[in-house]
Amino acid sequence: MSTDTDGEIIRLARDNPAVFGELYDRHAAGLYRYAARRAGEFAADDVIAETFLVAWERLESYDYDHDDARPWLFGIATNLLRRHHRTEARMLKAAAKAGLRDSVADESDRVAAQTDALVATGQIAVALKSMPVIDRDTLLLYAWGDLTYEGIAAAMDVPIGTVRSRLNRARRTLRSALDAVQLADKGEQAWTK
């Protein structure tokens, strides 16, 4: 059975539970990528399974005015990912440490480029880790969840103006971190001349 909208699937699933599988087929891959980036692949399977379980248990709460269920599902996944926050914090801390290491044994361009990328990744990880959780969740729903501002507002149950404010703060934090990397690069280049 194929239906046009997610809302229609959810409406039909109330009387025919087998239809709910179509919602999984449509969105599980996107949710998995988002969860894997946030908490690692080892946690993503659990988060996705739990997301669809919670969605199934909350079918009655779905707002049928929304044809796209992605904001609803990403909102559930984001709330579940908060439970995995400790894991995420450990991953960001490890990425930051790896990116900040001063190890340039090989002088080839490839190694230099990899080192630069690690440093930048480390700085971004540090910036992500330093953000308030609500700003980080908003940014990652936008960047990794591919949700629109409206979708993020629905997922987080906040007004769209709040989404804009949170994204603006998150972008400023990232911009400051990247500016610091660029300043360090310029300082290093001046030092080596």
Side-chain angles (χ1 to χ4, degrees):
M1 171 183 286
S2 179
T3 55
D4 292 334
T5 68
D6 295 341
E8 191 176 345
I9 291 171
I10 292 169
R11 187 183 334 270
L12 292 172
R14 294 169 67 188
D15 297 325
N16 182 3
V19 175
F20 192 72
E22 191 168 333
L23 193 67
Y24 181 90
D25 292 342
R26 286 183 178 192
H27 301 298
L31 283 164
Y32 179 86
R33 284 190 299 274
Y34 173 71
R37 293 177 108 173
R38 298 274 327 250
E41 291 182 11
F42 60 95
D45 286 329
D46 292 341
V47 170
I48 299 312
E50 207 169 340
T51 296
F52 281 96
L53 176 64
V54 170
W56 173 252
E57 292 171 348
R58 296 183 186 167
L59 278 182
E60 299 299 326
S61 70
Y62 186 77
D63 182 353
Y64 295 107
D65 291 338
H66 301 285
D67 289 337
D68 183 3
R70 286 182 342 121
W72 182 58
L73 293 170
F74 275 89
I76 293 169
T78 299
N79 287 333
L80 292 171
L81 283 164
R82 287 189 180 131
R83 291 185 194 168
H84 295 278
H85 182 65
R86 287 187 196 148
T87 301
E88 181 182 52
R90 281 193 299 267
M91 286 178 54
L92 292 174
K93 187 176 178 181
K97 282 183 180 178
L100 296 175
R101 286 189 198 131
D102 293 329
S103 60
V104 184
D106 186 352
E107 294 185 13
S108 72
D109 289 341
R110 183 181 59 79
V111 173
Q114 286 177 336
T115 303
D116 290 344
L118 278 175
V119 169
T121 301
Q123 292 294 329
I124 291 170
V126 168
L128 285 172
K129 188 172 181 259
S130 71
M131 284 181 197
V133 173
I134 55 173
D135 291 350
R136 184 173 48 232
D137 285 345
T138 304
L139 179 66
L140 296 179
L141 281 169
Y142 182 77
W144 291 350
D146 289 331
L147 291 183
T148 62
Y149 284 27
E150 293 82 8
I152 296 168
M156 300 186 82
D157 196 24
V158 296
I160 196 164
T162 302
V163 171
R164 288 189 175 104
S165 298
R166 290 176 180 174
L167 281 175
N168 192 31
R169 275 195 310 266
R171 287 178 178 139
R172 275 193 312 234
T173 301
L174 282 178
R175 193 172 303 121
S176 294
L178 294 176
D179 286 348
V181 170
Q182 289 174 349
L183 285 174
D185 285 348
K186 287 180 182 175
E188 187 174 308
Q189 288 172 358
W191 178 260
T192 57
K193 285 185 178 179

